[in-house]
């Protein structure tokens, strides 16, 4: 008989957050621990840590009244908070996509001239950083998959556009390398990549 799989951190967060939606009230830490353990099956030893992570992500509000902290999270506030977060991530993706296009355009122009320069190396490094940023933002979007479907749809389209742009310019780089190799007898694409400082493992994004 297989061992029952435990809950992930995100599942525990969702369970504890649902306590606030169901109670629609201001709760003390002791009340949160009681409801979380009794009604949601969470370990009392973990509830404080889970609650703090929700507060850190602005999914649960916390205010000190007198000597005690009180917590709350109403459905309407949670939705507004997630919409704001999605809007921020969407703006970051658009900004990153625009920067990738600009950097790749500059890199393409430099490859045609085949001049050695520190600026070209910096651009190559910048592309890698921005592509990693896009990947991170795409992962961030997946965390909010249960939010506004229309906002999420637009976000996914923007991420796909950024990915297509990165791959299109990668394709342009390979085309320039092939043209240079075809018109330079005895010089392979691999040689050209070495001379131009282009990583030999340069490849399309999946």
């Amino acid at each position: 008989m297989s061992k029952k799989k435990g809950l992930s951190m995100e599942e525990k967060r969702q369970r504890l957050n649902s306590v606030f939606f169901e109670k629609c009230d201001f709760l003390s830490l002791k009340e949160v621990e009681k409801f979380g353990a009794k009604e949601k099956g969470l370990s009392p030893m973990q509830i404080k840590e889970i609650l703090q992570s929700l507060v850190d992500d602005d999914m649960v509000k916390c205010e000190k009244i007198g000597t005690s902290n009180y917590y709350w999270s109403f459905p309407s506030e949670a939705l507004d908070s997630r919409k704001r977060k999605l809007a921020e991530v969407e703006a970051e993706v658009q900004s990153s996509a625009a920067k990738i296009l600009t950097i790749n355009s500059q890199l393409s122009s430099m490859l045609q001239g085949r001049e050695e320069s520190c600026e070209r190396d910096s651009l190559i490094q910048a592309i890698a950083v921005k592509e990693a940023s896009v990947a991170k933002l795409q992962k961030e979007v997946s965390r909010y998959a249960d939010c506004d479907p229309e906002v999420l749809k637009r976000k996914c389209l923007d991420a796909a556009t950024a990915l297509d742009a990165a791959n299109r310019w990668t394709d342009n780089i390979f085309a320039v390398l092939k043209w240079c190799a075809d018109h330079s007898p005895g010089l392979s694409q691999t040689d050209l990549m070495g001379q131009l400082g282009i990583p030999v493992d340069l490849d399309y994004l999946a």
Side-chain angles (χ1 to χ4, degrees):
M1 185 174 181
S2 60
K3 185 177 180 180
K4 185 177 179 181
K5 183 179 179 181
L7 296 173
S8 67
M9 184 59 174
E10 188 58 34
E11 290 171 329
K12 293 175 183 178
R13 281 158 50 94
Q14 291 176 2
R15 285 196 180 190
L16 190 61
N17 201 26
S18 68
V19 168
F20 296 98
F21 294 167
E22 294 168 5
K23 303 301 179 183
C24 287
D25 201 357
F26 300 91
L27 305 176
S28 67
L29 177 59
K30 288 185 177 180
E31 290 174 320
V32 175
E33 291 176 335
K34 181 180 73 174
F35 293 135
K38 185 177 180 180
E39 300 181 9
K40 302 303 176 180
L42 299 173
S43 169
M45 300 296 292
Q46 294 182 319
I47 289 178
K48 187 174 182 180
E49 177 187 354
I50 299 169
L51 178 60
Q52 187 59 50
S53 75
L54 292 173
V55 172
D56 292 341
D57 288 346
D58 202 29
M59 296 176 67
V60 171
K61 304 295 183 182
C62 176
E63 188 71 33
K64 189 169 185 177
I65 302 176
T67 58
S68 301
N69 287 331
Y70 284 85
Y71 303 85
W72 73 93
S73 177
F74 302 127
S76 59
E77 289 185 344
L79 180 59
D80 289 341
S81 176
R82 293 188 178 187
K83 284 184 176 180
R84 287 195 300 271
K85 183 63 176 178
L86 276 172
E88 292 173 3
V89 174
E90 182 179 23
E92 290 180 22
V93 166
Q94 291 176 343
S95 176
S96 294
K99 289 178 180 178
I100 287 176
L101 289 175
T102 300
I103 292 171
N104 276 295
S105 178
Q106 294 174 354
L107 178 60
S108 179
S109 298
M110 293 178 66
L111 285 174
Q112 291 179 11
R114 298 172 60 184
E115 300 88 357
E116 292 287 342
S117 71
C118 293
E119 183 180 1
R120 186 193 61 250
D121 295 337
S122 297
L123 287 173
I124 293 175
Q125 293 177 5
I127 289 174
V129 171
K130 293 304 177 183
E131 288 176 345
S133 176
V134 169
K136 180 179 179 181
L137 291 171
Q138 288 174 326
K139 183 177 180 181
E140 181 75 3
V141 170
S142 67
R143 292 182 57 195
Y144 298 89
D146 59 342
C147 197
D148 189 333
E150 289 301 318
V151 174
L152 179 60
K153 182 179 179 180
R154 291 198 303 271
K155 184 72 183 90
C156 290
L157 289 174
D158 289 338
T161 299
L163 182 64
D164 290 341
N167 282 332
R168 184 166 58 253
W169 282 106
T170 297
D171 190 58
N172 289 341
I173 291 174
F174 284 136
V176 170
L177 289 171
K178 184 178 184 304
W179 185 91
C180 292
D182 291 344
H183 291 76
S184 302
L187 191 60
S188 68
Q189 291 189 35
T190 301
D191 294 334
L192 282 170
M193 293 176 78
Q195 292 180 14
L196 296 174
I198 301 173
V200 295
D201 59 351
L202 177 68
D203 204 350
Y204 298 95
L205 296 177

